[in-house]
């Protein structure tokens, strides 16, 4: 929740900057907010985070570019995956699976490889209960110093019921 408070206090100053009108800046801010809320929901299961995630996903969809749509589908799939865990919902699990499959296809088409790998990892969690670790492995191959930490900027750590 501390990260969310920081995010909310950061937004007004971001909006005042001259470059805040750039679409990539808006999308980056939304990414940060969605991931912060998703991480909070994954860790504490508090339902308040669901509405915050949904609002931010809707804002991503309103950006009307493929990259934002891939992000929105990935984050919505991750939200539904977490909801299926917290609520024991087969319906949410199926919706998550559908969105993650869509994300994989769209990310592959747009050459957004890290997001494709994040979606494949999440899909593996739905199917087997274990992540394949594809995103962290790819980062390790690229000599990223702390791939597990950087991977948190793309998705959620999903193993062991987290």
């Amino acid at each position: 929740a501390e990260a969310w408070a920081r995010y909310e206090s950061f937004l007004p100053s971001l909006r005042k900057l001259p470059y805040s009108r750039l679409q990539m800046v808006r999308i980056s801010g939304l990414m940060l907010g969605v991931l912060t809320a998703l991480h909070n929901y994954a860790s504490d299961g508090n339902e308040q985070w669901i509405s915050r995630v949904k609002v931010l996903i809707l804002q991503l969809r309103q950006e009307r570019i493929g990259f934002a749509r891939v992000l929105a589908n990935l984050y919505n799939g991750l939200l539904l995956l977490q909801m299926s865990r917290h609520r024991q919902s087969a319906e949410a699990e199926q919706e998550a699976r559908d969105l993650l499959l869509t994300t994989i296809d769209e990310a592959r088409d747009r050459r957004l490889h890290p997001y494709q790998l994040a979606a494949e990892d999440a899909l593996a969690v739905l199917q087997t209960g274990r992540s394949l670790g594809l995103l962290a492995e790819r980062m390790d191959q690229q000599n990223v110093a702390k791939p597990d930490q950087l991977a948190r900027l793309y998705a959620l750590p999903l193993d062991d019921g987290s």
Side-chain angles (χ1 to χ4, degrees):
E2 181 183 334
W4 182 260
R6 286 184 184 178
Y7 171 74
E8 285 188 316
S9 67
F10 157 79
L11 279 180
S13 58
L14 176 67
R15 290 183 180 129
K16 291 179 185 176
L17 297 172
Y19 55 83
S20 66
R21 295 178 144 218
L22 296 173
Q23 189 172 41
M24 199 62 221
V25 172
R26 288 192 312 268
I27 291 171
S28 296
L30 291 168
M31 289 169 60
L32 180 61
V34 172
L35 283 169
T36 300
L38 275 171
H39 281 283
N40 285 333
Y41 179 58
S43 67
D44 69 17
N46 188 324
E47 300 275 322
Q48 73 170 336
W49 299 114
I50 294 172
S51 60
R52 291 178 179 175
V53 170
K54 287 181 176 181
V55 166
L56 294 168
I57 288 171
L58 179 62
Q59 290 175 13
L60 274 171
R61 291 193 188 286
Q62 290 171 343
E63 291 295 334
R64 296 183 169 202
I65 63 169
F67 175 61
R69 187 173 52 249
V70 167
L71 293 175
N73 287 338
L74 174 61
Y75 298 150
N76 203 7
L78 292 173
L79 174 63
L80 288 163
L81 188 155
Q82 291 303 316
M83 289 171 65
S84 74
R85 288 177 161 187
H86 289 294
R87 297 177 176 176
Q88 305 295 312
S89 169
E91 182 180 332
E93 186 175 313
Q94 183 57 51
E95 288 179 48
R97 182 175 287 108
D98 293 345
L99 277 166
L100 292 169
L101 287 168
T102 298
T103 301
I104 291 166
D105 290 341
E106 289 183 348
R108 184 183 304 116
D109 291 347
R110 288 176 174 74
R111 299 175 192 228
L112 298 170
H113 199 60
Y115 298 100
Q116 175 189 340
L117 296 176
E120 289 174 356
D121 285 340
L123 186 60
V125 169
L126 278 172
Q127 294 171 338
T128 68
R130 301 273 318 152
S131 171
L132 298 174
L134 297 172
L135 179 57
E137 181 181 310
R138 172 73 175 167
M139 289 180 183
D140 192 48
Q141 290 170 356
Q142 298 296 317
N143 297 316
V144 171
K146 296 181 181 181
D148 291 333
Q149 289 180 3
L150 184 60
R152 292 180 66 172
L153 294 176
Y154 289 93
L156 301 171
L158 297 168
D159 285 336
D160 304 320
S162 62

